[in-house]
Amino acid sequence: MIDEIIGLYNYWVVIFLMMTGFYVVIASTNLVKKIIGLNIFQTSVFILYITMGKVADGTAPILEEGITSYSNPLPHVLILTAIVVGVATTAVGLALVVRIKEAYDTIEEDEIHDQDDSL
Amino acid sequence: MNHTLLRTMTQLLIAPIMVFALYVQFHGDFGPGGGFQAGVIFAAAVILYGIVFGIRAAKKAIPDGILRAMAAFGVLLYGGVGVATMLLGGRYLEYGVLAHDPVHGQHYGIILVELGVGIAVASVMILIFYAFASRGEPDDR
Amino acid sequence: MMLTIIDLTLLFFLVVIAIAVVRIKDLFAATMLLGIYSLLSASIFVTLDAVDVAFTEASVGAGISTILALSTLSLTARIEKGHPGPTWIPILVCAVTGLTLIYATFDMPWFGDPDAPIHQHVAPHYLEASAEEIDIPNVVTSVLASYRGFDTFGETVVVFTALVAVLLLLGGRKGEDNESNQNKDEGGAS
């Protein structure tokens, strides 16, 4: 049991953070808050990937003489590009929020539904 | 904003930030860094200027139109390296054919591709900031 | 051992900040907390040997994201209205999903295990051959730009496409397409 805790606690914390972000996305009615929740979720996924790439006693994957054990560079590459793409897509989401504010004069989801008589 | 301290410090900081961005861009082969980070750091310098001196001054320094062209140019540079390797007889993005020695070809390819990424990311980030900041000042068009 | 303690401390702070973001109503404070969250996760990436990722997260997550969220807040509203107290159905959904995921982690390779499947496939080739094939010390750069050049090209195009989308949404003049919105927009502009 102790071994499992030491071997897996990183994943559990990541899952907790993921679910916190997920909760903000589905429970909050404010659109900016939802995007903040998505960002929390996104960052926790990044931590999950980087955790999987870590090798015990390894070092950063920059080749140097005398070092034999490196961490896995592949997740680093995937996440590096994902971070930049993530901020670009967040910008699109925020731009949509700005347009919604201009069209409905509110960024609360329930007030938008009231105006549209939807839901 | 009219804080003398902020204005002076910003003037002092912008040039070193831009030089650091270039260092990150071209030192990415040897240490942490590369096109993505360099582009964002360069954009941060311009965004800092825009925040302190106003979006109008920033647009005067680096106009919209040039940035739009640069964003497209960055992506084209990346794609163009791929087309160049095809014209030289290799496959798409096979950098080895860019020079007589395949390893040197890899070096040229990586530097060009990272440069394309850096230019594209920097222009995109600055333009997105311009778009958000100009929305608050409808007369500034 | 020292690294584990640092790791645990940083993860603890991340959890505290995530809970604070859920509870806080002031969106300005939530945005600043998100910036701190990004910076802390960058520190975690350093302890996990991902220096390039940490660099990117610190400049992008803590820098540009915060600026964009703040510009959005200046155009919209600063305080979240929301409803008081927690809502139980989302909590239930999150708890069930989280427990399922935790159950799944028992099949995951343990943290730092050098025999994990992820370290057996192409990664050893990248680490061993990149010194001869590409001859630059930073393996992340050689994988990013050369071995996985197609992926990176795709990501660059995605960033460019996002720019096009933002310019389509925010680039035009306010209320140009809708006369009735004109007055409301001018009232709302700062």
Side-chain angles (χ1 to χ4, degrees):
Chain A
M1 189 61 206
I2 297 290
D3 284 348
E4 275 167 350
I5 291 174
I6 291 171
L8 297 172
Y9 72 85
N10 237 326
Y11 299 129
W12 297 342
V13 176
V14 164
I15 287 168
F16 181 83
L17 294 172
M18 240 182 237
M19 287 307 120
T20 315
F22 188 40
Y23 174 78
V24 176
V25 174
I26 58 179
S28 161
T29 54
N30 185 294
L31 295 174
V32 174
K33 193 78 178 275
K34 272 181 198 286
I35 290 182
I36 289 175
L38 269 182
N39 265 312
I40 292 181
F41 195 112
Q42 179 178 279
T43 309
S44 71
V45 175
F46 297 160
I47 300 175
L48 175 74
Y49 266 65
I50 300 300
T51 304
M52 287 196 283
K54 168 78 177 166
V55 176
D57 303 324
T59 178
I62 296 172
L63 301 175
E64 187 140 1
E65 279 187 38
I67 296 175
T68 50
S69 176
Y70 298 101
S71 285
N72 193 332
L74 196 53
H76 299 184
V77 174
L78 298 176
I79 295 311
L80 200 161
T81 48
I83 291 174
V84 180
V85 169
V87 75
T89 47
T90 304
V92 177
L94 291 171
L96 281 169
V97 173
V98 170
R99 287 305 294 263
I100 288 171
K101 164 78 176 178
E102 286 168 8
Y104 289 88
D105 206 27
T106 177
I107 52 168
E108 301 287 334
E109 206 183 12
D110 37 6
E111 291 175 14
I112 294 169
H113 281 306
D114 285 347
Q115 286 185 31
D116 276 358
D117 288 328
S118 54
L119 202 71
Chain B
M1 269 189 270
N2 277 320
H3 301 287
T4 317
L5 199 64
L6 261 179
R7 282 171 171 266
T8 317
M9 281 315 290
T10 310
Q11 279 169 338
L12 281 175
L13 274 174
I14 281 175
I17 294 176
M18 285 180 166
V19 173
F20 183 60
L22 292 176
Y23 166 78
V24 171
Q25 171 82 50
F26 295 109
H27 202 262
D29 299 359
F30 306 99
F36 285 104
Q37 295 95 326
V40 171
I41 291 171
F42 191 86
V46 180
I47 290 173
L48 176 65
Y49 186 78
I51 290 174
V52 175
F53 293 93
I55 187 70
R56 231 173 271 214
K59 277 192 173 171
K60 215 172 180 179
I62 308 186
D64 258 344
I66 292 179
L67 283 173
R68 285 181 198 193
M70 291 298 271
F73 171 75
V75 180
L76 274 179
L77 181 60
Y78 202 134
V81 172
V83 174
T85 57
M86 277 167 81
L87 291 177
L88 288 168
R91 277 164 290 178
Y92 193 70
L93 292 175
E94 186 186 345
Y95 308 133
V97 296
L98 286 174
H100 291 297
D101 184 355
V103 174
H104 286 170
Q106 289 282 353
H107 288 184
Y108 296 145
I110 287 175
I111 285 176
L112 284 174
V113 158
E114 290 271 15
L115 192 63
V117 171
I119 292 172
V121 170
S123 325
V124 166
M125 294 301 161
I126 297 170
L127 275 172
I128 289 177
F129 171 72
Y130 279 3
F132 276 93
S134 321
R135 203 68 183 174
E137 302 174 22
D139 300 332
D140 183 38
R141 285 191 177 273
Chain C
M1 190 61 209
M2 197 60 205
L3 218 55
T4 315
I5 295 172
I6 295 173
D7 201 30
L8 274 174
T9 318
L10 290 172
L11 287 173
F12 173 72
F13 279 131
L14 275 187
V15 169
V16 171
I17 289 171
I19 293 172
V21 170
V22 174
R23 297 185 57 86
I24 212 155
K25 291 282 173 211
D26 186 346
L27 290 171
F28 178 79
T31 309
M32 296 318 283
L33 282 173
L34 192 69
I36 300 172
Y37 182 88
S38 287
L39 205 58
L40 277 174
S41 60
S43 325
I44 289 184
F45 294 148
V46 174
T47 67
L48 296 176
D49 296 339
V51 280
D52 281 271
V53 183
F55 200 167
T56 321
E57 179 70 39
S59 54
V60 176
I64 306 281
S65 297
T66 313
I67 292 284
L68 292 180
L70 288 181
S71 357
T72 311
L73 288 185
S74 76
L75 294 172
T76 54
R78 190 179 150 163
I79 305 291
E80 176 192 16
K81 283 176 191 153
H83 27 68
T87 34
W88 292 106
I89 295 176
I91 286 182
L92 189 73
V93 171
C94 290
V96 171
T97 319
L99 286 174
T100 319
L101 287 173
I102 285 177
Y103 173 67
T105 58
F106 287 100
D107 285 338
M108 297 274 283
W110 286 1
F111 177 59
D113 181 3
D115 300 321
I118 183 176
H119 304 309
Q120 310 302 321
H121 189 48
V122 284
H125 174 83
Y126 292 155
L127 284 167
E128 282 156 20
S130 100
E132 287 161 29
E133 288 176 0
I134 298 182
D135 190 32
I136 57 174
N138 190 349
V139 185
V140 174
T141 302
S142 63
V143 176
L144 179 92
S146 187
Y147 291 116
R148 292 285 171 124
F150 274 51
D151 290 16
T152 312
F153 185 46
E155 312 269 18
T156 315
V157 174
V158 170
V159 171
F160 183 74
T161 315
L163 167 73
V164 175
V166 169
L167 289 184
L168 282 174
L169 285 167
L170 297 182
R173 221 178 288 268
K174 267 191 199 175
E176 212 169 39
D177 47 0
N178 195 343
E179 283 296 313
S180 63
N181 273 352
Q182 196 71 42
N183 296 328
K184 195 159 56 179
D185 286 344
E186 276 164 8
S190 49

